[in-house]
Amino acid sequence: MKVVANTRQAQGSGASRRLRRAGKVPGIIYGGKGAPSAIELEHNPLYHALRVEKFHSSILDMDLDGKAEQVLLRDVQWHPYKPQVLHIDFQRIAADQKISLKVPLHFVGQENSPAVKLSAAIVGHVINEIEISCLPADLPEFIEVDLSNAATGQVVHVLDIPMPAGVSVALRGKENPVVVTVTVPGAAEEEPAAEAAAAAPAAAAAPAKAAAKPAAGKK
């Protein structure tokens, strides 16, 4: 995807307010071999681009003052209640340097899984994106999670998901978050109910035995 920007000359909060009134968004581009640069972008094209999933997880081609840059979206500040972008950050990338980025998960095949077709299980998506690390050329637009073989009671963790070539999951320490759970509705309630039913006869028998036992000291 392409984004057009220009170097921003005036800086400061007052200059930023004037830019926003003129229908533009102040921002910054940093990283790579260049120095950080203050930039400005047209608000409406940027607003609509931010509504596209790919814009958040892809390498973007930035036209900065007519010069091509490859960048990643790093941060967006929104107005508290208006549909208005207040500020945006981009990071330059280099082809030989790994990048870390959160990419969306696309879940496929769950409607055809044994758990859903045979047991009417509910497939719960616990997280919808993961952070990965790779070279820019290997960056996937999304990670596919195939649930066509999901079984009842199964729990899928991040490390259970196959990664594309050249891509690794960026995890901290020994963490391995849950991505998907497969449960049958009512199963959790049925088990305690069965246990209670089994315990009921024993509980009823105890008072009966106590009543049948003669009181101490009586004949």
Side-chain angles (χ1 to χ4, degrees), residues 97-143:
Q97 294 180 0
K98 284 192 172 184
I99 54 176
S100 294
L101 187 69
K102 287 186 176 181
V103 296
L105 298 174
H106 285 190
F107 302 93
V108 298
Q110 64 185 46
E111 65 280 0
N112 296 317
S113 67
V116 173
K117 294 182 73 173
L118 302 179
S119 305
I122 293 178
V123 179
H125 301 163
V126 180
I127 58 175
N128 293 300
E129 63 178 12
I130 59 174
E131 187 173 355
I132 61 170
S133 176
C134 62
L135 290 172
D138 296 325
L139 179 64
E141 185 179 331
F142 58 86
I143 299 294

Side-chain angles (χ1 to χ4, degrees), residues 4-87:
V4 178
N6 293 297
T7 300
R8 174 163 49 103
Q9 302 300 332
Q11 299 185 39
S13 56
S16 294
R17 284 195 295 269
R18 288 191 292 273
L19 272 178
R20 296 182 188 113
R21 286 196 294 268
K24 297 186 177 182
V25 179
I28 188 170
I29 179 173
Y30 61 86
K33 297 179 181 178
S37 299
I39 59 175
E40 60 184 57
L41 306 88
E42 293 290 337
H43 180 275
N44 288 347
L46 177 62
Y47 173 83
H48 290 294
L50 286 167
R51 296 166 65 92
V52 179
E53 181 185 74
K54 185 177 179 180
F55 193 80
H56 296 258
S57 57
S58 300
I59 296 172
L60 307 174
D61 295 314
M62 176 178 282
D63 181 334
L64 179 58
D65 298 330
K67 180 182 176 181
E69 299 260 18
Q70 284 199 312
V71 300
L72 292 172
L73 174 64
R74 280 308 190 190
D75 189 46
V76 183
Q77 296 177 23
W78 293 88
H79 191 280
Y81 56 87
K82 295 180 182 177
Q84 181 184 10
V85 185
L86 298 181
H87 194 276

Side-chain angles (χ1 to χ4, degrees), residues 127 155-161 169 171-179:
I127 58 175
V155 177
V156 179
H157 293 81
V158 167
L159 293 179
D160 298 328
I161 303 172
V169 184
L171 296 175
R172 294 161 185 81
K174 296 182 180 180
E175 68 177 1
N176 187 16
V178 173
V179 177

